[in-house]
Amino acid sequence: MKALLKLLSGAYFIFASVYCFSACNSYTYLFLVKTPPYPWLSWVVDHGPLLYWLAFAAMSAAFWDERRNRVIVGGLLAQAAIGAVFTAKNLLANLENNWSAYVWSVAILLPMLVATAGRLNQPTSDEAPSSQSTMFSYSTAIMIATLAAGLSLGGLLIRNYGETRTIALHAKEFDLMVLVVAAHLWLAVLVVTLLNLVQTAAQRAGGRPLRMRRWAVLLLVFFTLDASTVRFLRNALSLEGWPIQIYAMLLAAFITGWGFS
């Protein structure tokens, strides 16, 4: 039940943040914010304050057993404060194509990110090393690499469609896509091999191999999502500079912590 509540609350905050971020770009602001292409999107925007407080209630219920953690309580209070302003402004329905939209896209993510960090930072007991294999799976790495390559190629296709109004690919473009996928897969295999070497060394040295494994996975997922998000924003929206770097890092950290919490 707690997992479902975190899923629902996190999904809404991610949606609200990405929607605000889309208002920063003139292209997405015109076709997504000013003229929503889907009826359900208009409904979500019109009921933004109600959905925000439902997401906040779900988030609070999910973290209720950990209410003595000051970091988590601080995150919840900050989320409530942001919600008050969010409601007063009816934010999603009144977004403008300026830097305020970017600020809101970041602000919506930060409180739950803090609360999730407080949850992940709680001490956990490591199990004693056993003969059972705890190596990282190559199949999982390949799945993550395929997803990352898909995000990268998806952004490229969206940008190509926006310029040419067609998704037809030439032979050179197809070859480039194959190379992109192959590069992601090669990098995934290399990273997993290095992580398994570190894991083996940690097991032989004693220490806390499971905690090391846990944070290694967190960092792997974070950097994969961060790089994929930056590439997607560059390919799909032609965005550059430090704003997208910061936003991609926050979004990747939010999704990673939200998923592992």
Side-chain angles (χ1 to χ4, degrees):
M1 184 63 180
K2 289 175 63 176
L4 178 60
L5 291 173
K6 287 183 180 179
L7 175 66
L8 294 175
S9 60
Y12 178 76
F13 291 133
I14 290 173
F15 166 81
S17 174
V18 173
Y19 188 79
C20 290
F21 184 80
S22 68
C24 301
N25 180 270
S26 300
Y27 176 66
T28 50
Y29 178 76
L30 289 175
F31 88 85
L32 189 64
V33 177
K34 294 296 290 182
T35 55
Y38 306 108
W40 66 265
L41 185 58
S42 299
W43 185 91
V44 171
V45 170
D46 292 340
H47 296 81
L50 172 62
L51 294 175
Y52 185 100
W53 289 111
L54 289 176
F56 176 77
M59 175 185 173
S60 301
F63 284 107
W64 181 252
D65 293 340
E66 300 161 270
R67 58 189 179 277
R68 295 184 179 179
N69 187 313
R70 293 182 179 179
V71 176
I72 291 177
V73 172
L76 291 173
L77 291 176
Q79 198 80 64
I82 290 174
V85 182
F86 184 98
T87 302
K89 290 180 173 291
N90 193 9
L91 183 68
L92 297 186
N94 295 290
L95 282 173
E96 297 181 359
N97 180 217
N98 54 34
W99 277 99
S100 66
Y102 180 84
V103 172
W104 275 105
S105 71
V106 171
I108 290 172
L109 294 180
L110 285 178
M112 190 171 178
L113 180 59
V114 170
T116 300
R119 170 67 183 85
L120 292 175
N121 196 44
Q122 289 182 349
T124 56
S125 58
D126 270 344
E127 301 173 4
S130 65
S131 59
Q132 184 178 1
S133 174
T134 58
M135 296 296 102
F136 293 101
S137 169
Y138 282 96
S139 61
T140 302
I142 290 173
M143 290 176 59
I144 295 175
T146 303
L147 175 61
L151 285 172
S152 177
L153 296 175
L156 185 61
L157 290 174
I158 291 174
R159 182 178 178 180
N160 184 57
Y161 179 79
E163 294 176 351
T164 65
R165 296 301 173 183
T166 179
I167 59 174
L169 296 174
H170 300 292
K172 291 183 178 180
E173 294 173 330
F174 181 79
D175 292 341
L176 178 61
M177 293 177 66
V178 172
L179 288 175
V180 169
V181 174
H184 279 79
L185 294 177
W186 175 85
L187 182 59
V189 171
L190 177 62
V191 170
V192 169
T193 300
L194 293 175
L195 289 175
N196 282 337
L197 290 174
V198 173
Q199 179 77 3
T200 301
Q203 287 180 342
R204 291 181 177 178
R208 306 178 73 88
L210 295 185
R211 174 168 289 191
M212 182 177 291
R213 172 186 174 86
R214 174 190 182 190
W215 283 102
V217 172
L218 282 169
L219 290 174
L220 176 61
V221 174
F222 166 74
F223 284 117
T224 301
L225 288 174
D226 178 44
S228 300
T229 303
V230 169
R231 184 167 295 182
F232 176 83
L233 292 175
R234 285 175 176 171
N235 291 338
L237 304 179
S238 300
L239 297 177
E240 296 286 349
W242 61 266
I244 70 164
Q245 298 285 351
I246 293 177
Y247 184 73
M249 288 177 61
L250 288 174
L251 184 62
F254 183 96
I255 295 174
T256 302
W258 170 54
F260 278 84
S261 67

